[in-house]
Amino acid sequence: MSPSLPRLLLLAALLTSAAAHAQDLSLQGGALRVSGKNQNTFAVGVNYAQPVGDYLALSLGYLNEGHPRNHHRDGVSGQVWLRSRINEQGWSWGVGAGQYYFFDTSRPRGGGEAYINDHGWAPIYSLQASWHDDSRWYAQVQLNRVVPSGAKDPTTSLLVGGGYRFDSVRGDKLHLDGGASTDDTLTVLAGQSIVNSLESERSRAGSVEYRRALGRYVDWTVSALSEGTSAGTRRTGVATQLWLIRSLNREVELGMGIGPYLAFEVHDVPGTRSHKAGLVSAAGRYHFSKRLVGTLSLNRVVTDYHRDADLLLVGVGYSY
């Protein structure tokens, strides 16, 4: 895992300490074009933005750049935005710039491996137009330009979607029923593992997670993971992560976590190998009550031996 990856968590830390304005969460979909090649594909984006005053904002985003020929690329970004003032009704405009950490699955030239998983940083530039009505919902159009260095091809994506502005909140850990939320949660999750190959092999996956609140904005987790069996391998392991948490209202919180993952891989041939990998996660948690918590998480296993994978997990936890 690249030692530069914690830069995204640094930006996330700035989000948690930003002024208490209404936060924005948006979902977008559209088309992407690979520059210099006659290739078009789909694109999907998810963005969380935190205003800092009336004209600046910080954002964390996920961008899936679709499936151009012999490439599956997606990644997470952090951007700084210069925006017009947002009124209760009418247009707002924004221009953003930042860094994009990408995960690119491609077919290597000259044969050899069936595919490789490449990771790296690229600048990302964005233009945005949003239409607000007198509700908290808004429509949005966004243009993104990703410009990797070296042999990677730049891309341009045009996305259309909508978003929701949450009420202004303190942003720290949730307070339910007039009292502080509990510090410890045990969660059981199940879902699907998707290998980051050109075939996207799938299998069942599961996890048991212990979570402890270390502060107003920080959680710590230890997780036992089973990634299932696919492409001739079965991988399990233990991960520990630090999380930055932001509350959107009295029930919902979002978080981003990162940490090391000690993975054990069992192959079709006898023998077991252990690998040091990284785990990057985004999660949404819904507090049904002070004790019962639902979790939806997307996890990216980042390896140095071309076996990256996505884990999409949903589960229920008990806080105590």
Side-chain angles (χ1 to χ4, degrees):
M1 182 172 56
S2 168
S4 300
L5 192 53
R7 283 188 283 181
L8 281 175
L9 278 183
L10 176 61
L11 181 59
L14 293 176
L15 288 175
T16 62
S17 60
H21 292 266
Q23 299 108 38
D24 297 341
L25 184 64
S26 61
L27 174 64
Q28 308 156 335
L32 178 140
R33 184 172 182 83
V34 181
S35 298
K37 298 181 178 179
N38 188 26
Q39 295 183 31
N40 299 296
T41 184
F42 68 91
V44 176
V46 180
N47 291 287
Y48 167 78
Q50 171 65 58
V52 183
D54 291 330
Y55 302 104
L56 291 177
L58 302 174
S59 73
L60 288 174
Y62 167 78
L63 178 63
N64 188 315
E65 298 186 76
H67 297 165
R69 190 176 305 119
N70 292 333
H71 283 272
H72 295 181
R73 191 168 76 184
D74 65 349
V76 288
S77 66
Q79 290 181 276
V80 178
W81 290 83
L82 178 63
R83 307 199 302 187
S84 63
R85 182 188 292 270
I86 297 177
N87 298 313
E88 291 186 359
Q89 189 168 6
W91 288 99
S92 68
W93 313 89
V95 54
Q99 287 289 306
Y100 173 65
Y101 187 78
F102 63 81
F103 309 87
D104 188 15
T105 301
S106 61
R107 197 180 308 278
R109 297 177 180 176
E113 292 281 350
Y115 67 91
I116 59 173
N117 296 136
D118 192 16
H119 317 122
W121 289 92
I124 181 171
Y125 308 100
S126 302
L127 295 174
Q128 189 180 87
S130 304
W131 169 260
H132 306 264
D133 60 20
D134 53 4
S135 71
R136 296 193 184 101
W137 293 95
Y138 59 88
Q140 191 171 79
V141 179
Q142 183 166 317
L143 182 70
N144 300 306
R145 177 73 171 173
V146 176
V147 190
S149 59
K152 297 291 183 181
D153 296 313
T155 61
T156 302
S157 56
L158 179 63
L159 306 177
V160 179
Y164 186 81
R165 302 189 71 213
F166 290 84
D167 284 336
S168 179
V169 297
R170 289 174 56 189
D172 55 359
K173 294 295 290 182
L174 292 168
H175 294 264
L176 300 174
D177 301 326
S181 58
T182 53
D183 291 335
D184 302 270
T185 306
L186 187 64
T187 305
V188 177
L189 304 106
Q192 194 169 70
S193 170
I194 305 171
V195 178
N196 289 176
S197 69
L198 294 174
E199 303 299 327
S200 299
E201 298 91 346
R202 300 166 185 262
S203 61
R204 295 178 181 177
S207 173
V208 177
E209 175 194 274
Y210 166 75
R211 178 179 294 265
R212 180 169 181 80
L214 299 182
R216 293 172 59 185
Y217 302 103
V218 181
D219 283 0
W220 168 63
T221 60
V222 177
S223 303
L225 295 169
S226 173
E227 299 182 50
T229 301
S230 61
T233 185
R234 181 172 72 246
R235 190 163 59 190
T236 61
V238 178
T240 182
Q241 294 175 282
L242 283 177
W243 291 75
L244 291 169
I245 300 294
R246 184 85 188 181
S247 298
L248 298 183
N249 54 34
R250 290 177 58 85
E251 292 82 27
V252 179
E253 61 184 4
L254 301 178
M256 181 178 178
I258 185 173
Y261 175 35
L262 179 60
F264 297 92
E265 192 167 27
V266 181
H267 292 261
D268 288 342
V269 296
T272 300
R273 297 187 302 170
S274 64
H275 302 275
K276 294 179 181 179
L279 188 65
V280 183
S281 306
R285 305 178 74 218
Y286 185 86
H287 291 249
F288 296 100
S289 67
K290 190 173 181 178
R291 299 296 181 186
L292 190 62
V293 184
T295 299
L296 175 64
S297 69
L298 175 62
N299 310 270
R300 173 64 54 86
V301 178
V302 186
T303 71
D304 59 0
Y305 65 108
H306 308 304
R307 289 297 182 271
D308 290 5
D310 289 325
L311 307 177
L312 180 60
L313 303 173
V314 61
V316 177
Y318 180 79
S319 296
Y320 55 95

